Amino acid sequence: AQSVSQHNHHVILSEAASLELGCNYSYGGTVNLFWYVQYPGQHLQLLLKYFSGDPLVKGIKGFEAEFIKSKFSFNLRKPSVQWSDTAEYFCAVNARAGGGNKLTFGTGTQLKVEL
Amino acid sequence: DGGITQSPKYLFRKEGQNVTLSCEQNLNHDAMYWYRQDPGQGLRLIYYSQIVNDFQKGDIAEGYSVSREKKESFPLTVTSAQKNPTAFYLCASSPRRTVLYMNTEAFFGQGTRLTVV
């Protein structure tokens, strides 16, 4: 069955520190990969996405993610975090299932950035 | 404006009652999804539908039911059999993934917070 693992459940960083959040998925076929963000009290927003082509994708607010097919991974990175990046981050995989597509999310990583 | 509308925003239910959450989209998307969000558990898939009159169970379908009689509507019923229904429910839609159209991105509604009292 298709699944998504996010290994870091809670991350606390100081401002200007670098960020890397892990995401691994289990599915052998073609996938679309996403990172979504949910700021406190707000709704889910798309941060970035990978469909095909360059495995290094750039998203909003300085975030980027690298798709490594051999490792089934899609880790999220940001060189220097800001206090406003405090949020919950979700990795998601869209893969073929039942003749269409099934979108599966990881359990999320709660990021807290301290001043 | 195009988008996904979930109603109501807040819903209170007495134990033993069924309740239906509404989800409507005007994006002309084929695929629609229902997720449940609980603290520390992420978004868990309840049901999804690729096309009208067809739907599949997700990872936590027990105690829930859906229908897909129209392309734009995918209501979710939380039945009395659902042992822990208090949660935040999110509806999403995306273009159907096919051989010709491989890349799909999901769009989310604003959610319904259900509380059992």
Side-chain angles (χ1 to χ4, degrees):
Chain A
Q2 180 179 326
S3 67
V4 181
S5 298
Q6 291 183 244
H7 313 295
N8 317 101
H9 298 294
H10 291 90
V11 174
I12 301 175
L13 295 173
S14 299
E15 266 205 330
S18 64
L19 169 73
E20 182 160 2
L21 301 182
C23 173
N24 287 88
Y25 64 93
S26 65
Y27 184 75
T30 302
V31 294
N32 297 155
L33 299 160
F34 307 87
W35 276 96
Y36 283 85
V37 60
Q38 189 172 37
Y39 296 103
Q42 295 187 29
H43 307 294
L44 220 56
Q45 302 174 37
L46 182 67
L47 201 54
L48 49 75
K49 60 190 177 186
Y50 172 78
F51 288 159
S52 64
D54 188 345
L56 184 64
V57 293
K58 295 191 184 299
I60 60 172
K61 304 185 180 184
F63 286 90
E64 63 179 32
E66 185 175 12
F67 171 50
I68 302 179
K69 190 174 181 179
S70 61
K71 295 185 178 180
F72 297 90
S73 71
F74 190 55
N75 292 355
L76 181 71
R77 299 195 293 248
K78 186 171 184 179
S80 175
V81 294
Q82 299 174 311
W83 177 80
S84 58
D85 292 325
T86 294
E88 191 159 18
Y89 294 81
F90 296 94
C91 181
V93 173
N94 194 2
R96 182 172 293 279
N101 47 282
K102 180 181 177 184
L103 182 63
T104 303
F105 283 80
T107 53
T109 297
Q110 189 72 49
L111 171 66
K112 182 179 179 183
V113 179
E114 297 178 331
L115 295 171
Chain B
D1 286 355
I4 301 176
T5 302
Q6 287 186 244
S7 61
K9 189 173 180 180
Y10 298 95
L11 188 58
F12 296 88
R13 189 196 90 175
K14 291 183 179 178
E15 280 195 34
Q17 285 183 339
N18 292 356
V19 64
T20 298
L21 282 60
S22 170
C23 178
E24 303 277 332
Q25 55 101 357
N26 60 5
L27 300 167
N28 200 32
H29 286 170
D30 288 299
M32 295 187 74
Y33 307 83
W34 273 106
Y35 294 90
R36 171 181 171 143
Q37 186 177 13
D38 297 282
Q41 298 194 59
L43 278 74
R44 293 182 291 167
L45 183 62
I46 304 172
Y47 268 97
Y48 62 109
S49 169
Q50 307 292 338
I51 201 166
V52 174
N53 292 323
D54 184 52
F55 48 83
Q56 290 82 39
K57 291 182 179 180
D59 302 315
I60 55 164
E62 186 175 350
Y64 299 97
S65 67
V66 293
S67 63
R68 188 82 188 278
E69 297 176 1
K70 298 185 295 182
K71 186 176 184 178
E72 58 270 24
S73 178
F74 191 42
L76 173 74
T77 296
V78 184
T79 75
S80 56
Q82 169 48 234
K83 291 181 172 49
N84 186 21
T86 294
F88 188 59
Y89 291 86
L90 279 167
C91 179
S93 73
S94 68
R96 184 182 178 203
R97 181 188 175 98
T98 66
V99 173
L100 295 178
Y101 190 78
M102 297 294 283
N103 301 325
T104 60
E105 174 186 332
F107 295 82
F108 285 84
Q110 295 187 326
T112 293
R113 187 165 296 281
L114 173 64
T115 303
V116 174
V117 296

